[in-house]
Structures are given as C-alpha cells and as structure tokens.
Amino acid sequence: MKNPGKMLFEVLNHLFKKPATVNYPFDGSKMPKGFRGKILFHPEKCIGCQLCVRDCPSNAIKIIKIADKQFEAQIDLGKCIYCGQCVDSCLKKAIEITSDFELAQLDPTKLKITVKGEPPTTPPPNQPNNA
Amino acid sequence: MLLDLFYILVFPGFLFLSAFALWAEYFDRLVYARLQNRVGPPWFQPTADFIKLVAKADLVPTAANPTFFRLAPIIALTAVCTAFIYIPLWSTSSLFSFNGDIIVILYLLTIPTLCFFIGGWYSTSLYCRIGAVRTVTQLFAYEIPLFMGLLAPALLANSWSITEIMQFYIDHPWFWAFNLIGLIVSLIALHGKLEKAPFDIPEAETEIVAGGFTEYSGRLLAFLRMTLDIEMIVGASLLAAIFLPFGLQSGPVVGFLVYLVKVLLIVFLFSIARTIFARMRIDQMIAFCWQYVVPLAMVQLLINLILKGIIIR
Amino acid sequence: MSGPEDFKIPLGPQHPALKEPESFSIALKGEKILGVDIRLGYNHRGIEKACESKSYLQAVYLIERICGICSHTHSTCFVQGVEELAGLQVPKRATYIRMIIGELERVHSHLLWLGVAGHEIGFDTLLMYSWRDREVVMDILAMVTGNRVNYGINAIGGVRRDISQEQIKDILAALKTLRERTLYYIEIASKETTIIERLSGVGILLPADAIKLNAVGPTARASGVDIDIRRDDPYAAYSEVEFKVITDNHNDVYGRTVVRMKELLESYNIIEQALAKLPEGPIAVRAPRKVPAGEVLSRYEAPRGEDLHYIKANGTEFPERVKVRAPTLANVQAVKKMLEDRYLADLPIVVAAIDPCFSCTDRLIEVKDLDQGETKILDWQKLQQLSIKYNQQRGLDFTAAGKRLQRLMEK
Amino acid sequence: MTSEEAIVTELTNKFHVLDGKTQVRRPRRIFSEVAYADFRPILDFAKDKLGFNYLNMITGLDEGDNLALYYHLSKNNAITLNIKTFVTKNNPVVKTVTDVFPSADVAERELVDLLGFKVEGLAAGSRYPLTDDWPVGEFPLRKDWKMKGEV
C-alpha cells in the first residue's frame, strides 16, 4: 500500500514539459473580459448626481462641479478597492470598468487622477433630458 | 612548487572547485525547478547570490561568542576544500595521495558538520541551538552508514588509498557492480550530510527558520552556503571515484568530461530525491538510518568479505 | 555546556511557517512540546466597528475583505442576513450562482490548503503542483466574477453578474481537469510513505474532544463529528442538490487531509448539478437602502467550517451591530489539545491542519492615535540613498545599474 | 409541533421567566431574552438536558445603559438557541462559561477588550484582540467610542 517515491514518474515527466510559469511582463498579462480594474470616467455623460460618491465603500471617488453641467472626477487609485460598485450605481453609465490592472507606482501622487471634460464652451454631446 | 600551488589554488583546486560548486548549485536548482514545473533561476544566480552576500555587512549577535561564530564558517570551508585535493578526478591519482587518504577525507568531511554545530550553538539564538542539536543528532544517524558504505570497496581492494582502490578496479573491471548497494547507502548518507530534503531537518524552514544558520548574514553566510555547495561536489567526486570507476584510462580530456558527467549524475539524483519526499522528523530519520540503511551497509560489507575470501583468492 | 532543556521558543508573529501574524510561544523540552501559549489579535482591523459607519451596501464590500480566501463566505453570510431582515425574496438563479461561486471558492481554498500543508511538512513539490492546479479555478473565478479573490459578486437581493452559456462550458472543462488532478492527489496522499508518516498520528483530536471544544468544519469532520451547515441548516440552493458530508475516523492530520480532498470531489459534483439545473430568471431584486429594525443570525459553511454573522438593524441605512465569528476562532482552541505530547516538527502541520485564517479571526485598521512619539520613518528614497552610500564606502558602485532601473521604471 | 416548538415548550415549562420572551423566528432559530440573574441555570439546562452542545459565538452589544450579551448555542448543528441577557454598563460583571464551554475563552476575552465586560473566573492569559499597549478604559465597540485620527 505504502510506496515511497510515489511521485517519481510524475516529476520525471515534468522534466520534458514546458514550465507552467508565465513570463509575466512580456506575456500573460491579459485579464479575462469583465475583469474589474481601473475605472474609466466619461465626463460628458455625468449629471453630477453623486450616487457613486455615496456608494463608494472607500471614498475613492469625488465628483466636482466645475461649470454648469460640467463635472470632473477625482479618483484616488490608492484608495479604490476595484469593486465596481460605482459602475453599478451610475444611472447614466458615465463610469465604465476596464481590465487595466497594472497600476503600480513609485510616486504616490500619480495614483490620484483627475478626469476633466471638454472646456465649457462646447456643450456636452450627450445632453440628459431629465436630469 | 609553483605548479603545486597552481594545482591547489586554480585547477583543479580552489578556483575551479568554487566555480564548479556554484554551477552545480545552479544545476541542482534548475533541475529541482523543472521537476516542479517551474522555470528556475538563470545560470548566474548562485554566483550573484554569493557576490551579493559577500558585499553585505556581517552582523554578529551581541549574545553570540564572536570568535567561534566567525571561525566556524571559515574552518568549515577550509576543511571541504582540503578534502578535495586528495580525491582523484579523471585518473587514478589525486594531487596528493598517500595510504590512508580515504580516512582523512571522511574526517575532513565531518568537520563542516561540527562547525555548523559550533556556529549554531554559539549564536545562542533558540532556533540556532535547536538546529545545532539536530545537526549533531543527525550526524550520528548518517555518519556510520557513510563510513561503512565508503570503506566497503577499500576492504575489497585491501588498501586505504583511493588510488589503489581505483587501480584495483582497473585490474578487476566488473567489480563495481558488486558495490551498488554501497553506492546507494553512501548516496543516502551523503544526502543526509548535505542536509537536503527529506533530511533537511536541521534547517527545517517551517519550524526553526534556518536552523543553525539563522543568525548568519553577509560574508559568513556566503561561506556557509559555499561550504555546502563544495561539500556536495567533494562528496559526489568521492562517490564517483570509489563507486563509478569509468573512463579512468581515457586521457585527461575525455576523463575529465566523464568525471563531470558522473558528478552531475549524482547531483541530479539528489535533486530528484529532494523533489519526491516530504521532510522527515528527526526521530523518523534516525530510525530510518538505523533500521534500513545500516543493515544495507552491513550486507555490502558481507558481500565484499565473501568476494574477497572466495573469488579473489 | 547545558542541554537544550526547557526552551521557550517564539513562533511568530513573523515566522516562515505562518502566512499571517499570530504568535505561538512554545515551551520545549528537547524536541518535545510541553505547552503552547497562543496570542491572537495581530490582524485586528476594527472591521466590526467600521461596519457601523458604512451603509449596508458599502458594508458588503468591507465584510468581503475580512479575508481574501473566504471572501465569498463572509459576503454571502452577511448578505443572507440582511436579506432576511429586509424580507427580500432572492431569485432562484441568484442563489444558484452564489452556491456555484461558493463551491468554486471551496475548491480554491482546499487546493491552497493542500499546498500549504505540503510546504509545512517540507514537501514543496506538492505545493508547486497544487498551486499550479489552483490557477485553473482562479482563472474560472476571475472570468465569472471579475476578480481572482474578493469576487464582489454578491449584492443585497441577488448577485451582480450572470453566468453565460460559454462560461458554463469553460467551468465544466475546468472541472474535468481539476477532478483528474484531485484523484491524483488523493492517490499521492494515500500512498506516498513520507507524507503518511508525517501526517498520521499527528495532532490527534478525539471525537469527544472535538465536540467539547466546539470544533467545526473539516477539523471536526475528520474526528467523526458529522456536521455541515450546508446540510443541517441549508442556505442558498443547497437543499436542491445532492451531496455527501464527508467524515473520517482517523482523528488526525491525515484524516483532515482526506476529508478535504474528498470534499473537493463533492464540490465538483455540486457545481455540475447546479450548472445542469441553473434556473432561468432575474439575478437580483431591488434592495431598499434602509433595513427595518430587527436582528438575525446567519450561518454559512465556509471551507474551514461554520461562519456566523449576527446582524442587528435599527431601521436606518447603517447596521447597528455586526458580529462575525470566523471558523478559525472555533478551531484554534483545539490546536492546544492537538499539540499535547507532540514534537516541535509537528507544530507547523498541526497548526496548518485546521487551515487557520487569522485575518478572518481577528477582523477588526488600527486607527487610534496613540501618541507614537518620534518614530524615525525612512522613506524609500532615503533608504536607497543610505544603501548606495554604504556600498560606495565599500568600493561598490551601482549607479549605472540604478540608472537603468530608473529608465525601466519610467517606461 | 415542530422540534423547535417542543424546545420552547420545554424551556418555558422549566423556566417561567422565559414565558412570552422566547419565540421561534424562523425554522431553526429560537431567540430568547432573560435577566442575567436567571441566565446561568438556563444555559446549563440547555446544555445538559436539551443537548445544545455547541456554543457557537458570544455577541456583545451596547444598548445605551445596558451592555447586552447574546449566547448563540446550537444543537446537532441545526437548531440555534440565541439567549440574550444584559448587565448594567456601570457594573458589567458576568461569570465565565468556560467551565461548561471551554471554547468560550477567546470570545470572553473579546468581550473584555472590545466592550469592557468584566468576566469573573476567566483564566489568566494574553489579551485578545487588542494590542498589549492599548490604553486602559477604551472600549472600541461601545457606541460612545469614536475613532480618532484618519482611517
């Protein structure tokens, strides 16, 4: 019943197999469709309802009014937990999830990003009717 | 005189030995990784590790005895390097050969183990002390089968000199086959000496961090690791010389290549053993050695005695 | 020279055998363990307190981060409790999806455990193989839920993502590979001499002791205690699938290994059944923000045992009290018992055998200002400068290499 | 009569203080409330006579003037009996239950650390889960305790 070295043949087989390790930065950095990575903000769709701010579990997003019907988002990627709740909460689909996960930074200030819309002179293309 | 110095320091002495030892560590790690379906380190990894360690500061714990703590790695390294010059590599003669050299080599190979004990014990850290005690406990388990296994061919050749043992093999070419049990016994015992899994009890990472080596850093740790690497080569060369007498008369170049193959084969066997077993407990290891390995060694001695009594004479 | 008698050695808070910080202080006589003191709490992050200032919706994500390995466990347990309080009828399809993810999580957790157990007994090959195979289930989880851990699939009132037909195909294909591998590991675990020698007879917990010490999960089941919340107090869709509760009579670490490996096979069965009869329909109902006052006890069979959440609502958006009892807390008491008269070498595997998850156990960011005084904090750049200076003093200059690294980072 | 109701009947027959204070809220969940003075006999009865052999968890609650305790027991892993009891905040002294449920040890230490209960008869040992240098008299789970500093 007992058998010392039971794994011998299995390990010897692996001598002739390709290693399972992925050569990370060069290949295998693709994430499946729908992976929850960095969020993408579309300022032209935002109506400033602040629902995302209210639901964010880690206070990572701020929506600031910069002009009439013009909003910018301040996203702190260091605080963001990539749960995607803001995407679910947004009524106008102004926030979208991307599968970008390579966000490591040496400089912590680069983790805070601000997404601004077009300058106020051009009207937002997707004007909401019943905001 | 100058040539002797070249032999000792450069080839096949210290420099060659160090380079070969580091490369053998790479080979061992590569095979280990491939068997585990991993990529493994690049070829310069052990060398880079060595350089990195040498460049780092040596820290001596305040509670440790600085003299023994510093001396232990250096003596260990010296002992294994000294042992190497008495081992014949690709011909029947070594650099310095005399009757009884096989005994001297075996004792020189015991010194590192004792140094690991002394270094670990005088580190005074609790993990080190447990590791040190385990090192010595383990020594009592593998040392006797190792001696019995390695001295069995000497019994056959009726000489305590490796050169003469090899000469005996040239005269009786097929006698190595009778010593296969001794080879297996010596391989297991040497594996225990090198403290590799499943016999890595003295440095069992998940229990006592790094055992006797826990407090070592910088150059001293580099020496300790180098000692283990060189010990592996010296041990493998010794086994190759005593149990695998092939290519002894084929000239230096072919002989040297055959020698490399023999050593790497032994290292390869070690890598496989490291891959397919779980670490034993110290009590299991001692029971294993005394219940299985020592009786095997005795069988080998008995075979050789019978051979000597009946066939040769 | 005095002998190494009556050592008291520290294992942790930082130790190679422990993947998380907990402290074991072990009194030793030679190699024998005389007594063990366990100090928990190094991972206390104040999650229970933090829940009181988060809305139910936010709390789901916070609760999910109690633990990485059993994130679905905690979020499901919490969400079930809130749904019961709010009187929500969760759609059938959602309960099935929760169950499928829950079982996939169990597979991932047990395979992880197998690797850790291998490492603790010095068998790294098993670690490498089982963690490689674990990638299969991790990929499936990433594909279905959008992340490898902290799946974020639970919402109050249902689940956030649906499972598509292609995904079902991928899951079934993955299960085929996993089942093959699991059978192989069962064979290894029951044949390889060194593994059996290291595992059997180690960490004995007799059935009577298991009940007395209230052990849960595989730890209890390996001592012959036939308990499993999935069967005894069914939640999600467990009352609609057939499965066996695996028990074993070895009472030792070997038994716990066997139980976990066989549970893997049961999990594959459950997932296959669930995928075969996945009902059509919506995946979530709308949940109110305010939850009516009340209290509820929610139970869930985590990979490690029974997970309990007590939730008290006060009619506002925020919970009044959330109490979490992770399975490890129940089992850690049994560890002392298991270690009686064992050797130091057995300690890592005995501790690992309950599959401890100390971040679950401790829960509760330490946020209080404790007048730290002047702690000298070196930032990364200062540390780098110090090390460059040190090496230059010793005649080594890595400036060129450093510049190359800088260029690489900037790319 | 379901087995839950049978348990309730048996409890109320033996302890009249539980009349009207014990109810089955859903299958397998019995909730009950009792003053601390009457609590211990009920716990012993539940363990010895009713077969509630698992103490799953002890929850501590801050209810203003009172500190409440929930003892969550379970029988055959299915039916849970949740007994609530309370002591005043000024004098939050309870007796340990480690004599019948050894596993209550950690749970009681947690009550001491996080809610400021005083548990009589708890064996000496390390604290849990707060750090050893945690200030005396600070109990994070009490409602009047506020976080200082930034999260």
Side-chain angles (χ1 to χ4, degrees), chain C residues 25-233:
Chain C
S25 176
I26 307 141
L28 279 181
K29 191 177 176 80
E31 288 273 328
K32 220 163 196 149
I33 296 174
L34 294 176
V36 184
D37 279 335
I38 305 175
R39 169 71 163 103
L40 304 168
Y42 290 91
N43 269 342
H44 186 78
R45 287 158 289 159
I47 286 182
E48 286 179 2
K49 181 79 180 172
C51 278
E52 293 172 15
S53 55
K54 298 267 177 215
S55 70
Y56 286 99
L57 197 130
Q58 293 171 329
V60 175
Y61 299 109
L62 183 63
I63 294 271
E64 192 170 67
R65 278 157 180 78
I66 286 176
C67 173
I69 308 300
C70 30
S71 59
H72 189 72
T73 295
H74 287 289
S75 70
T76 311
C77 197
F78 179 75
V79 163
Q80 276 176 182
V82 178
E83 282 158 359
E84 197 182 319
L85 278 173
L88 292 175
Q89 199 61 46
V90 184
K92 267 263 145 79
R93 193 175 173 89
T95 60
Y96 270 79
I97 293 176
R98 272 184 197 167
M99 181 169 78
I100 291 164
I101 304 293
E103 288 307 313
L104 285 171
E105 182 183 71
R106 192 181 315 275
V107 171
H108 138 58
S109 172
H110 281 355
L111 283 174
L112 176 113
W113 178 83
L114 182 67
V116 172
H119 178 67
E120 303 289 11
I121 57 168
F123 200 171
D124 284 353
T125 312
L126 195 59
L127 167 75
M128 298 298 168
Y129 283 4
S130 67
W131 282 33
R132 176 196 67 196
D133 299 334
R134 177 174 157 261
E135 282 302 308
V136 176
V137 66
M138 300 282 278
D139 286 347
I140 289 292
L141 282 166
M143 177 187 81
V144 175
T145 67
N147 211 336
R148 287 160 57 91
V149 286
N150 295 336
Y151 316 114
I153 193 155
N154 277 320
I156 297 167
V159 290
R160 291 170 64 199
R161 287 193 188 192
D162 204 354
I163 295 183
S164 71
Q165 283 304 318
E166 297 95 74
Q167 285 173 336
I168 290 178
K169 251 182 241 151
D170 287 350
I171 296 173
L172 289 175
L175 288 183
K176 198 162 166 265
T177 330
L178 286 168
R179 181 171 277 133
E180 218 170 83
R181 295 301 302 171
T182 311
L183 288 170
Y184 175 71
Y185 291 128
I186 291 175
E187 197 188 323
I188 291 295
S190 55
K191 295 240 174 94
E192 166 61 43
T193 317
T194 47
I195 294 184
I196 298 172
E197 289 291 316
R198 280 305 300 274
L199 298 184
S200 47
V202 174
I204 300 265
L205 185 71
L206 297 173
D209 288 327
I211 292 173
K212 192 176 156 214
L213 295 167
N214 296 352
V216 294
T219 312
R221 290 199 282 274
S223 296
V225 184
D226 189 11
I227 55 171
D228 192 325
I229 306 288
R230 293 179 290 177
R231 180 199 59 196
D232 302 334
D233 194 355

Side-chain angles (χ1 to χ4, degrees), chain C residues 56 85 291-294 312-321, chain D residues 143:
Chain C
Y56 286 99
L85 278 173
V291 172
K312 189 175 180 189
N314 52 9
T316 61
E317 268 184 49
F318 305 99
E320 167 89 7
R321 173 85 167 96
Chain D
K143 290 285 172 194

Side-chain angles (χ1 to χ4, degrees), chain B residues 35 37 55 127 134 275 279, chain C residues 10 17 31 125 129 132 198 394:
Chain B
L35 292 174
N37 210 1
Y127 299 126
R134 283 183 178 187
T275 322
R279 184 192 305 124
Chain C
E31 288 273 328
T125 312
Y129 283 4
R132 176 196 67 196
R198 280 305 300 274
R394 324 187 86 214

Side-chain angles (χ1 to χ4, degrees), chain B residues 121-122 156 163 195 213 236 241 258 282 289:
Chain B
W121 185 263
Y122 284 104
L156 210 56
T163 310
E195 298 180 358
F213 299 170
V258 171
I282 187 90
C289 281

